[in-house]
Amino acid sequence: MTQTAPSTEPDLRHTIVIVGGGSAGIAVAARLLRERPTLDIAIIDPATTHAYQPGWTLVGAGVMKLRDTLEQEGGVIPKGCKWLRAAVSTFQPDNNTLTLEDGRTVGYGRLIVCPGLQLDWDKIEGLSETLGRNGVCSNYSKDTVEYTWTCIQSLAGGTALFTQPPMPIKCAGAPQKIAYLASDHWRKQGTLNRTNVEFCLAGDALFGVAYFRPALQEAVDYYGINLHYKHNLIAVNGPERKATFAVTGPDGKVTKVVKEFDMLHVTPPQSAPDFVKKSPLADAAGWLDVNATTLQHAKYPAIFGIGDVMNTSNAKTMAAARAQTPLVAQNVLASLDGHPLTGQYDGYGACPLTVAYGKIVLAEFLYGGKPAPSFPYDQRKPSRFAWFLKTTVFPRVYWDMMLKGRDIEVPHHPEWSKS
């Protein structure tokens, strides 16, 4: 009796498989279906809640409610799209398949990888045990963002520490945004004069785009925030209210410095998800390896990237994912049709920097940190107009347009920054 060879056919097969149901994944799926409604698309994501994360700075500052930033994942999956509520385990790009953690295999014609970033809380000793209590908060988690506002409101003096880990992280301006808003709140309460506010960052520059640094330095000076460069948070003792930093001196030597605090806002270290890091799709640093312009994988032409997981040098922001969405959809369809890839990403990203309640420095820029404003005014100057965009317009654009695949492209004008 002859044995039948085991089947190599995947358990499931779809024309396009999208790994990640966050901002980028939902937006590109919706865009593809709007362009070609009959496409067979599957989204893989184990999450049941979808979050508008740009709103969490405002939640942590008491401006927005957490519930207004959350939606059921099933409620944002585009109609006509299959949702596989599962996690990816491994990729087999030579066979155009991937394997889920439950053992099922999924075949694809084209694969779009956009699982976002992984928050590495455990890389800071003691943080997980004390996060959400003992004055230790973070806007980077929906579970602790409301506690940030509790900490800000209850502090009536003492020491408030705000941290920023080594880059890259998502929304590189977020760690300092909350420092400004907290300081503005304490100023209004009359307690800022007895509060020592420290912003401790692992890098050596306040912001990656030099064009906007003077405006941010003005905010730092206005509130009397003490800046500490080359300070990387490595451990937290919540009950004793002590934070340990690895501090790199001018000579390159690293020493440990312990700071006492009454409030500690932590931005965790971040990296590509482990299942991407350990896969053939990653570069040496663990990021999804793509062409910086077409966002097609550097080695596997059936694979594309979008959003924070890629090794591109743009800022990892929702605005970047929004800019990437139409060109990735365009290039995936061209690839399926056997046509050249004409969609080109210029590195656009944006960071609305909340320097006060009601005032925002709207930083927009391309690859290389080249300023690229969308509006004809000096966007280095704090603006109420930009606050209106951040608090009112952008959330509606996100839920009603970007996630529905009917977003519009807002032109940016690098030449406006030269005036």
Side-chain angles (χ1 to χ4, degrees):
M1 183 176 177
T2 56
Q3 285 188 325
T4 304
S7 172
T8 56
E9 187 65 22
D11 300 304
L12 303 166
R13 181 177 290 280
H14 298 275
T15 305
I16 297 174
V17 171
I18 299 171
V19 175
S23 303
I26 298 297
V28 76
R31 186 80 177 212
L32 285 164
L33 286 169
R34 188 164 286 273
E35 298 278 338
R36 201 168 293 184
T38 58
L39 272 176
D40 171 25
I41 301 177
I43 292 176
I44 302 174
D45 198 306
T48 57
T49 303
H50 184 97
Y52 175 64
Q53 293 183 28
W56 288 353
T57 292
L58 299 176
V59 174
V63 176
M64 186 179 280
K65 298 295 184 185
L66 178 62
R67 63 176 178 267
D68 295 330
T69 70
L70 303 177
E71 180 60 83
Q72 288 301 113
E73 180 70 18
V76 297
I77 300 288
K79 287 183 179 178
C81 214
K82 173 74 174 176
W83 177 26
L84 303 178
R85 192 181 149 199
V88 172
S89 175
T90 57
F91 296 95
Q92 299 82 44
D94 291 323
N95 299 325
N96 280 23
T97 61
L98 57 83
T99 302
L100 303 176
E101 284 187 350
D102 60 18
R104 288 179 295 169
T105 54
V106 183
Y108 55 83
R110 296 295 180 271
L111 177 67
I112 303 174
V113 181
C114 48
L117 295 189
Q118 175 175 286
L119 303 179
D120 296 322
W121 302 102
D122 291 335
K123 286 188 177 177
I124 299 174
E125 182 186 341
L127 176 59
S128 295
E129 295 89 326
T130 195
L131 189 62
R133 53 200 179 95
N134 297 316
V136 182
C137 57
S138 179
N139 286 350
Y140 274 78
S141 167
K142 73 176 188 297
D143 298 322
T144 61
V145 62
E146 290 176 304
Y147 184 58
T148 300
W149 180 228
T150 299
C151 291
I152 291 171
Q153 287 179 293
S154 61
L155 193 74
T159 296
L161 304 180
F162 297 83
T163 74
Q164 179 175 300
M167 294 295 168
I169 61 172
K170 54 183 168 182
C171 194
Q176 60 185 289
K177 292 180 195 180
I178 192 61
Y180 302 141
L181 288 173
S183 297
D184 198 30
H185 174 80
W186 297 323
R187 178 188 65 81
K188 291 175 179 178
Q189 296 299 311
T191 59
L192 183 59
N193 63 338
R194 56 176 182 263
T195 304
N196 171 35
V197 183
E198 300 186 22
F199 185 50
C200 304
L201 62 162
D204 56 6
L206 184 56
F207 193 64
V209 182
Y211 180 76
F212 295 100
R213 278 183 213 147
L216 300 176
Q217 186 64 52
E218 280 185 22
V220 167
D221 295 341
Y222 176 74
Y223 295 120
I225 297 172
N226 296 305
L227 273 180
H228 300 292
Y229 297 111
K230 301 286 190 179
H231 277 55
N232 186 29
L233 181 67
I234 58 172
V236 178
N237 185 325
E240 293 186 16
R241 306 274 178 128
K242 292 180 179 178
T244 304
F245 294 85
V247 180
T248 304
D251 56 0
K253 288 185 178 179
V254 179
T255 57
K256 289 184 179 179
V257 172
V258 178
K259 292 177 177 287
E260 295 186 353
F261 64 84
D262 297 284
M263 171 186 164
L264 171 64
H265 179 274
V266 179
T267 301
Q270 294 160 43
S271 63
D274 288 338
F275 71 89
V276 172
K277 269 198 210 94
K278 299 171 183 175
S279 79
L281 310 187
D283 66 7
W287 301 97
L288 185 72
D289 193 8
V290 299
N291 178 291
T293 303
T294 64
L295 306 186
Q296 184 181 42
H297 195 273
K299 182 178 179 183
Y300 302 104
I303 299 176
F304 292 79
I306 184 172
D308 295 346
V309 75
M310 301 185 294
N311 63 352
T312 48
S313 62
N314 60 279
K316 296 181 183 299
T317 66
M318 189 271 280
R322 184 183 171 204
Q324 294 158 6
T325 295
L327 72 94
V328 170
Q330 178 184 333
N331 284 347
V332 167
L333 293 177
S335 173
L336 282 171
D337 296 340
H339 296 154
L341 308 187
T342 56
Q344 296 194 326
Y345 177 52
D346 56 10
Y348 175 80
C351 194
L353 293 148
T354 49
V355 294
Y357 286 89
K359 293 286 184 71
I360 280 179
V361 172
L362 183 55
E364 297 181 278
F365 40 89
L366 311 179
Y367 280 138
K370 184 177 182 181
S374 297
F375 303 97
Y377 73 93
D378 186 348
Q379 292 183 192
R380 292 169 294 184
K381 294 180 179 178
S383 149
R384 288 194 177 277
F385 169 68
W387 178 265
F388 171 71
L389 293 176
K390 168 75 174 172
T391 57
T392 305
V393 176
F394 292 163
R396 294 273 55 86
V397 167
Y398 182 77
W399 295 112
D400 298 339
M401 298 178 71
M402 181 176 168
L403 297 193
K404 302 290 175 61
R406 56 189 185 89
D407 202 358
I408 57 171
E409 288 188 62
V410 178
H412 35 272
H413 303 270
E415 68 277 6
W416 283 352
S417 66
K418 295 169 186 172
S419 57

